[in-house]
Amino acid sequence: MPSHPGRTRTRARAHIPVLAAALAASTAALGLTGCAAKPEPDTVTVLNSATDTAEHNANQRFLDRCGKPLGLRVEQISVPADQVASKALRMASSDSLTDILELDGSELPQFAQTEGLRPLKDIGVDTAGFSASATSLGSYDGTQYGIARSVNSLALIYNTDLLKKAGIEPPTTWAELKAAAKKLTGGSTYGMAFSASPNADGVYQFLPFFWSGGGDEAALDNGKGEAALQLWKDLVADGSASKSVVNWNQQDVNDQFVAGRAAMMINGPWQVPVLSAQKKVDWAVASIPVPEAGKDAVPPIGGTVMAVPKNGEDPVRERDAAKVLNCLNTEKNQLQWGESVNNVPTRAAAAQAYGLQNPKLAAFAELVTTARSRTAKVGTGWPVVGDALAGAFQSVLTGRTSPEQALHRAQQQASAGK
């Protein structure tokens, strides 16, 4: 998939529904009880998606910082993000699963339901002082199995020069968004850009509008999600957003913004390195507009969580893994890690410090406090629900159905896929 919403570097990570379904069945059969096959003494192994050289090296510095004082060597096994789940399955089947498993947050339920992950409190991982949204991201059925060092979400990123020339303040409500987008549209520039691709990128970007308007992933046709579909439809219908949004992933949206072809966009902090490196567009970040003034925006929370697979043959390795996790998640280490990857720390105190030290990204720090996990309500059913939502906004934006019809059909699809 071209982009991965929710990952540490890239936004919300996408999930192939077929893989997710197979994962749930396969891990249940395996029990996910694999342990490292004759690992080196005093070594903790980590499976993650840090394949980018810079990220891998930065990650290793933190792992060494935490391992060495404990007399431990921490080794990474890094594979592409969309291969972590399948790699973990293969390792589990051959009794070679790592001591720490770093998963995208929305993949955790498929592993947790197998009872192959150790509840963090059982092995002494400190889970106090974390934001509620981050705790939810690492939890399944009321138990926390994963811990996130940092998280990301979405915000409104805007071209400061274009808004200033138009005499417009960053919109805070949907009505203001529509008016601003229309006024900012002209020539080759659209007022607004977002991803409505038929996959996780599009779904991730739709959720802030769907949830903020009262939409419910457990009851897609509850009558409150249609307004979000109508908003997107109106933006495209009046020419304030390109019809091509149905094909754009989140990177495409950022490309449009950097090229000056969009005055505002919905995107995440993973785009900050590109935005900071370019000189054409002066940009700033604001909260995502909401249906009515005074309401909180409810975006999705994205990121990876670190979990500890059960290791019945060697509980010492579980405790060593827990010690490493506790070190990685001190306030100091979280803050430094978050700044290195442009993500928000999950400890409340570290998140507050992050916002103060990075004022340009403060909106992201504020938004993650009201963000929600995609799997909090529907658990392992999320891939089916996400697919149904994608079909809904694609059908509305291409003129095939009305918002009401689209969400009614989406609920039928989600119910049939459970």
Side-chain angles (χ1 to χ4, degrees):
M1 198 159 301
S3 60
H4 303 287
R7 274 195 61 207
T8 300
R9 283 184 299 111
T10 53
R11 50 308 123 253
R13 166 106 162 265
H15 301 287
I16 304 169
V18 173
L19 172 61
L23 178 61
S26 300
T27 51
L30 290 172
L32 199 62
T33 55
C35 58
K38 304 298 181 183
E40 292 292 325
D42 301 321
T43 298
V44 172
T45 54
V46 182
L47 175 62
N48 62 25
S49 58
T51 54
D52 175 81
T53 300
E55 181 186 359
H56 188 91
N57 292 341
N59 205 38
Q60 192 62 52
R61 287 194 293 273
F62 280 87
L63 294 173
D64 290 343
R65 176 189 297 180
C66 289
K68 287 180 179 178
L70 297 169
L72 299 171
R73 174 183 174 85
V74 187
E75 297 180 348
Q76 299 179 81
I77 300 172
S78 301
V79 299
D82 58 358
Q83 297 176 26
V84 172
S86 55
K87 176 71 172 178
L89 280 176
R90 291 194 299 272
M91 296 180 81
S93 67
S94 61
D95 287 335
S96 61
L97 192 57
T98 53
D99 302 303
I100 296 173
L101 178 59
E102 186 169 6
L103 298 161
D104 185 85
S106 60
E107 283 177 338
L108 181 78
Q110 275 92 32
F111 283 89
Q113 72 169 355
T114 70
E115 300 184 357
L117 299 178
R118 187 67 69 188
L120 295 183
K121 288 185 178 180
D122 290 359
I123 51 175
V125 176
D126 178 13
T127 58
F130 289 77
S131 65
S133 55
T135 298
S136 175
L137 184 68
S139 299
Y140 172 72
D141 201 21
T143 299
Q144 189 172 354
Y145 295 96
I147 191 167
R149 285 190 282 174
S150 64
V151 290
N152 57 55
S153 193
L154 295 166
L156 181 76
I157 300 176
Y158 61 94
N159 183 316
T160 57
D161 291 333
L162 291 182
L163 266 70
K164 184 177 180 179
K165 289 178 181 177
I168 295 173
E169 293 294 322
T172 60
T173 65
W174 288 2
E176 290 176 359
L177 175 64
K178 290 171 64 174
K182 190 168 186 178
K183 189 171 182 180
L184 290 164
T185 298
S188 60
T189 300
Y190 288 96
M192 182 66 178
F194 53 87
S195 168
S197 56
N199 52 33
D201 269 21
V203 174
Y204 199 65
Q205 294 224 338
F206 180 60
L207 286 175
F209 301 98
F210 182 71
W211 280 340
S212 297
D216 185 347
E217 64 271 36
L220 299 176
D221 57 352
N222 71 348
K224 297 181 180 179
E226 287 85 347
L229 284 174
Q230 189 65 49
L231 172 67
W232 270 22
K233 180 179 180 179
D234 290 345
L235 288 168
V236 172
D238 72 5
S240 298
S242 171
K243 293 180 180 178
S244 297
V245 296
V246 295
N247 300 314
W248 289 347
N249 62 36
Q250 297 186 100
Q251 186 57 54
D252 296 328
V253 172
N254 194 59
D255 291 344
Q256 294 293 317
F257 181 78
V258 170
R261 292 193 289 270
M264 301 181 292
M265 69 170 175
I266 300 298
N267 231 313
W270 52 86
Q271 305 292 6
V272 169
V274 173
L275 291 170
S276 297
Q278 57 82 39
K279 303 298 182 183
K280 295 180 180 178
V281 175
D282 188 23
W283 56 279
V285 183
S287 187
I288 293 179
V290 292
E292 299 174 12
K295 286 192 172 183
D296 288 329
V298 187
I301 192 169
T304 59
V305 295
M306 288 181 162
V308 178
K310 289 181 179 178
N311 193 329
E313 296 183 5
D314 195 352
V316 173
R317 299 189 69 84
E318 292 182 4
R319 292 197 291 271
D320 285 343
K323 292 175 184 177
V324 171
L325 292 185
N326 280 333
C327 174
L328 291 173
N329 287 284
T330 62
E331 182 179 338
K332 177 182 177 181
N333 282 337
Q334 275 205 359
L335 180 58
Q336 291 183 2
W337 175 251
E339 290 180 330
S340 73
V341 293
N342 298 302
N343 274 3
V344 182
T346 53
R347 284 194 177 277
Q352 183 178 18
Y354 178 88
L356 294 173
Q357 294 178 26
N358 302 275
K360 193 162 188 175
L361 304 180
F364 287 115
E366 295 169 3
L367 282 162
V368 298
T369 64
T370 56
R372 282 177 47 193
S373 166
R374 287 159 284 171
T375 61
K377 279 193 173 185
V378 294
T380 57
W382 170 252
V384 175
V385 173
D387 247 11
L389 277 174
F393 59 67
Q394 280 267 311
S395 66
V396 169
L397 293 179
T398 54
R400 298 196 302 272
T401 58
S402 68
E404 184 178 4
Q405 291 171 328
L407 287 177
H408 178 70
R409 184 177 300 173
Q411 182 57 47
Q412 291 180 323
Q413 181 182 341
S415 297
K418 290 180 181 178

